[in-house]
Amino acid sequence: VSQSRYLFPSHDIRKITLQTSNHRCLEVNNGAHFNRIENCRLNGFNTNSTSASFAVIYSSNSLMDTSNVIQNNAIRYGSMGIFWSGNSTGSYEPGLVFRGNAVTDAYAVGANFQYLDAPQIQNNLLNISTTTYSGVSYGLYGYYLNNAYRITGNDIRGLNRGMQLANHTGQTASRGLIGNNYISVLPTATTTLYGIYASGLNYVDMHYNSVNVVNTFGATAYGFYDGANYNFDVRNNNFIIGGSGSANQYAVLYRDWE
């Protein structure tokens, strides 16, 4: 999808190779605006690569791709279910809606969002609990999300990091919100575990999330790890560390709290 407007309703897109080097199902690039991808099945390449090039849905930082909606799709395999990136901190990409999708069997990351202005990431299933990857994996990874973004109502299931968020900046009157998400971490090997890892968040609210980390291999485990966030409102969340692990276990750990 390039410099156009499209609607893809009720399609079954299986292992379409747009470029021989990556096996993506769908690439949105070069100034693609106001597209809707809805009610599709997108089965990517069943890979053991961690590169974003093998994401099932891919949008890079080359040109602004604004006001795109990805909704009610079944997304399977790939290194990542979706990789969507704006340009930089000086050029946040606006208008992305990622809602009601089911991402399963991705190798390293369920959903990876970077350099976006007020994205709406809502009511998705992000399940990478079946991956065989032994490194650090993420159900949801968010990097430099700006203004009144919403990460709400998602069901996130991971092996070692459920949700990792870094360098998000809201405003006094348009705060970011991380709310009503269910996050579970169920490891298959000994590694440090994080339900939610948040660092560098400013003017963000984190409300009514439920986090369950099952520590069955004796690893260090955190329900919520705070790595220096500011103007950060954390309330009415439920953080549980279960299992039989004997190492350091923290429902909540604040490193630098203001």
Side-chain angles (χ1 to χ4, degrees):
V1 181
S2 177
Q3 295 182 331
S4 302
R5 300 183 183 183
Y6 289 100
L7 171 65
F8 296 98
S10 303
H11 279 66
D12 188 350
I13 303 174
R14 294 179 180 271
K15 296 186 180 178
I16 293 178
T17 304
L18 301 182
Q19 299 178 21
T20 56
S21 61
N22 53 52
H23 302 277
R24 299 169 192 152
C25 274
L26 182 65
E27 182 169 348
V28 180
N29 259 335
N30 297 321
H33 311 299
F34 299 101
N35 301 287
R36 299 182 70 90
I37 298 97
E38 296 183 300
N39 303 313
C40 298
R41 287 196 296 164
L42 293 89
N43 286 0
F45 190 62
N46 193 357
T47 181
N48 60 2
S49 172
T50 61
S51 170
S53 294
F54 287 81
V56 180
I57 300 174
Y58 179 91
S59 180
S60 73
N61 58 10
S62 56
L63 287 174
M64 282 282 191
D65 305 306
T66 66
S67 302
N68 292 293
V69 176
I70 302 168
Q71 184 166 273
N72 298 331
N73 302 286
I75 302 165
R76 192 179 185 194
Y77 299 133
S79 59
M80 307 176 186
I82 180 172
F83 174 84
W84 198 286
S85 179
N87 195 301
S88 67
T89 55
S91 184
Y92 289 93
E93 192 171 280
L96 176 67
V97 175
F98 187 76
R99 180 184 294 130
N101 302 286
V103 176
T104 56
D105 298 326
Y107 186 65
V109 184
N112 186 332
F113 301 104
Q114 303 185 20
Y115 301 110
L116 302 178
D117 184 58
Q120 309 297 297
I121 305 162
Q122 299 173 311
N123 303 326
N124 302 285
L125 169 65
L126 306 174
N127 183 4
I128 63 164
S129 62
T130 61
T131 181
T132 58
Y133 181 45
S134 60
V136 176
S137 59
Y138 308 90
L140 187 151
Y141 182 88
Y143 185 64
Y144 281 104
L145 306 183
N146 205 25
N147 291 321
Y149 70 85
R150 296 290 181 266
I151 301 175
T152 60
N154 300 287
D155 182 350
I156 301 171
R157 308 175 192 180
L159 284 188
N160 46 58
R161 297 199 183 196
M163 180 191 297
Q164 178 150 328
L165 309 171
N167 303 323
H168 298 187
T169 302
Q171 305 295 330
T172 304
S174 57
R175 298 173 66 95
L177 175 63
I178 306 154
N180 291 295
N181 300 287
Y182 174 74
I183 300 165
S184 63
V185 175
L186 183 61
T188 57
T190 302
T191 185
T192 303
L193 309 174
Y194 300 87
I196 299 176
Y197 183 109
S199 178
L201 276 58
N202 195 4
Y203 291 105
V204 173
D205 299 327
M206 191 170 80
H207 298 164
Y208 296 103
N209 299 282
S210 295
V211 177
N212 184 26
V213 178
V214 181
N215 186 13
T216 55
F217 290 90
T220 300
Y222 306 90
F224 168 51
Y225 182 100
D226 181 304
N229 302 293
Y230 305 93
N231 304 299
F232 189 39
D233 187 352
V234 180
R235 67 179 75 183
N236 298 318
N237 300 283
N238 189 20
F239 303 109
I240 298 174
I241 307 291
S244 57
S246 59
N248 295 325
Q249 301 188 85
Y250 307 90
V252 177
L253 179 68
Y254 285 103
R255 286 296 190 191
D256 187 3
W257 185 20
E258 291 189 6

Coordinates of all heavy atoms in Angstrom, one line a residue, residues 1 61 68 84 86-87 103 121 125 158 206 211 217 222 233 255:
V1 N 0.9 -1.2 0.0 CA 0.0 0.0 0.0 C 0.9 1.2 0.0 O 1.6 1.5 1.0 CB -0.9 0.0 1.2 CG1 -1.8 1.2 1.2 CG2 -1.7 -1.2 1.3
N61 N 10.0 4.0 8.5 CA 10.0 5.4 8.8 C 10.4 6.3 7.6 O 10.8 7.4 7.8 CB 11.0 5.7 9.9 CG 12.4 5.2 9.6 OD1 12.7 4.8 8.5 ND2 13.3 5.2 10.6
N68 N -4.2 5.5 9.5 CA -4.4 4.2 9.0 C -5.1 3.4 10.1 O -4.7 3.5 11.3 CB -3.1 3.5 8.5 CG -2.6 4.2 7.3 OD1 -3.2 4.1 6.2 ND2 -1.4 4.8 7.4
W84 N 5.5 -1.1 13.2 CA 5.0 0.2 12.7 C 5.8 1.4 13.3 O 5.7 1.6 14.5 CB 3.5 0.4 13.0 CG 2.8 1.4 12.1 CD1 2.9 2.8 12.1 CD2 1.9 1.1 11.0 NE1 2.2 3.3 11.2 CE2 1.5 2.4 10.4 CE3 1.4 0.0 10.4 CZ2 0.7 2.5 9.4 CZ3 0.5 0.1 9.4 CH2 0.2 1.3 8.8
G86 N 7.1 5.5 13.0 CA 7.3 6.8 12.4 C 8.7 7.2 12.1 O 9.6 6.3 12.1
N87 N 9.0 8.4 11.9 CA 10.3 8.8 11.5 C 11.3 9.0 12.7 O 12.4 8.4 12.7 CB 10.3 10.1 10.6 CG 11.5 10.3 9.9 OD1 12.6 10.5 10.4 ND2 11.4 10.3 8.5
V103 N -3.1 -11.4 17.3 CA -1.7 -11.7 16.9 C -1.3 -13.0 17.6 O -1.2 -13.0 18.9 CB -0.8 -10.5 17.2 CG1 0.6 -10.9 16.8 CG2 -1.2 -9.3 16.4
I121 N -4.2 1.7 20.5 CA -3.9 0.3 20.5 C -4.8 -0.4 21.5 O -4.6 -0.3 22.7 CB -2.4 0.1 20.9 CG1 -1.5 0.9 20.0 CG2 -2.0 -1.4 20.9 CD1 -0.1 1.1 20.5
L125 N -5.6 -9.1 21.1 CA -4.9 -10.3 21.6 C -3.5 -10.3 21.1 O -3.3 -10.4 19.8 CB -5.6 -11.6 21.3 CG -4.8 -12.9 21.6 CD1 -4.6 -13.1 23.1 CD2 -5.6 -14.1 21.0
G158 N 3.0 -13.3 27.2 CA 4.4 -13.4 26.8 C 5.2 -14.5 27.5 O 4.7 -15.1 28.5
M206 N -1.4 5.0 34.4 CA -1.5 3.6 34.3 C -2.5 3.1 35.3 O -2.3 3.0 36.5 CB -0.1 2.9 34.5 CG -0.1 1.5 34.2 SD 1.6 0.8 34.2 CE 1.8 0.6 36.0
V211 N -1.8 -7.9 36.0 CA -0.5 -8.5 35.6 C -0.3 -9.8 36.4 O -0.3 -9.7 37.7 CB 0.7 -7.5 35.8 CG1 2.0 -8.2 35.4 CG2 0.5 -6.3 34.9
F217 N 10.8 -20.9 37.3 CA 12.2 -21.4 37.1 C 13.2 -20.7 38.0 O 14.4 -20.7 37.7 CB 12.6 -21.2 35.7 CG 11.9 -22.1 34.7 CD1 10.7 -21.7 34.1 CD2 12.4 -23.4 34.4 CE1 10.0 -22.6 33.3 CE2 11.7 -24.2 33.5 CZ 10.5 -23.8 33.0
Y222 N 9.5 -9.3 38.1 CA 8.9 -8.1 38.4 C 7.4 -8.0 37.8 O 7.3 -8.2 36.6 CB 9.6 -6.9 37.9 CG 11.1 -6.8 38.2 CD1 12.0 -7.5 37.4 CD2 11.5 -6.2 39.4 CE1 13.4 -7.4 37.7 CE2 12.9 -6.1 39.7 CZ 13.8 -6.8 38.9 OH 15.1 -6.7 39.2
D233 N 0.9 8.6 36.9 CA -0.1 8.2 37.8 C -0.4 6.7 37.7 O -1.0 6.3 36.7 CB -1.4 9.1 37.5 CG -2.5 8.9 38.5 OD1 -2.4 8.1 39.4 OD2 -3.5 9.7 38.4
R255 N 12.5 2.5 40.7 CA 13.9 2.9 40.7 C 14.1 4.4 41.0 O 15.0 4.7 41.7 CB 14.5 2.6 39.3 CG 14.8 1.1 39.1 CD 15.8 0.6 40.1 NE 16.2 -0.8 39.7 CZ 16.9 -1.6 40.5 NH1 17.3 -1.1 41.7 NH2 17.3 -2.8 40.1

